[in-house]
Amino acid sequence: MTRILYAGSFDPVTNGHMDIIGRTARLCGELIVAVMHNPDKRGAFPVEARVRLLEKACAHIANVRVIAHGGLLVDCAREQNVTCVVRGVRPLGDFESEYQMAQVNRMLGGVETLMMPTTESLASVSSSIVRQIAGFGGNIDGLVPACIAGEIREALAGERG
């Protein structure tokens, strides 16, 4: 069974992330979505909340499993017995940094990287944009999965004071 790892902060998960998750899940036997976290940084959502939101958003995709990991991507891949990761690439400059990380991940852990272009209509959607819009009370419908939009809106409401 082909297993692929999709790692990110998912702070919060967006429809852009879900696009990559859905498309990748169709290509493999199991897709492991890893919420990566740096213990020295505090995200807008606690790691446990990000995992829960992703699990809810991915509930309709049978071959997706969501985990949390606090180390290097290559360590996560080794622990999950995965040799291939997928990265979503937006047209706004992601390729260069993703290419560099792909080279390092191959060098450090023998992990191959598949780069999947983001669907054009979602190319400008990012977690930081969602946080900013929701923090000002704006409409995030269409930017995040409908099943978790209310939770995200509630958690981020009033972030900007």
Side-chain angles (χ1 to χ4, degrees), residues 72-75 78 101-111:
L72 295 173
L73 182 136
V74 293
D75 292 336
R78 187 180 353 70
M101 285 306 305
Q103 298 294 355
V104 170
N105 288 335
R106 186 178 324 129
M107 182 180 69
L108 290 178
V111 175

Side-chain angles (χ1 to χ4, degrees), residues 2 15 19-20 48 55 65 73 104 141 150 153:
T2 304
N15 283 340
D19 174 55
I20 300 298
E48 300 77 22
E55 287 173 337
R65 180 166 52 98
L73 182 136
V104 170
D141 294 343
R153 196 176 301 113

Side-chain angles (χ1 to χ4, degrees), residues 29-49:
E30 181 181 27
L31 175 62
I32 301 163
V33 179
V35 176
M36 304 298 282
H37 62 96
N38 179 342
D40 296 332
K41 291 185 178 179
R42 184 182 175 282
F45 288 85
V47 172
E48 300 77 22

Side-chain angles (χ1 to χ4, degrees), residues 61-145:
I61 310 172
N63 64 330
V64 170
R65 180 166 52 98
V66 181
I67 64 169
H69 194 272
L72 295 173
L73 182 136
V74 293
D75 292 336
C76 182
R78 187 180 353 70
E79 291 167 15
Q80 296 299 317
N81 197 29
V82 172
T83 58
C84 180
V85 298
V86 67
R87 300 295 297 167
V89 182
R90 293 179 292 180
L92 308 172
D94 281 354
F95 182 79
E96 188 173 329
S97 62
E98 292 295 344
Y99 180 83
Q100 184 178 21
M101 285 306 305
Q103 298 294 355
V104 170
N105 288 335
R106 186 178 324 129
M107 182 180 69
L108 290 178
V111 175
E112 294 294 343
T113 302
L114 298 176
M115 294 190 202
M116 185 174 287
T118 306
T119 296
E120 188 176 320
S121 63
L122 299 169
S124 61
V125 178
S126 70
S127 293
S128 58
I129 287 174
V130 168
R131 289 191 308 267
Q132 184 175 23
I133 292 169
F136 282 111
N139 184 359
I140 58 170
D141 294 343
L143 303 179
V144 299

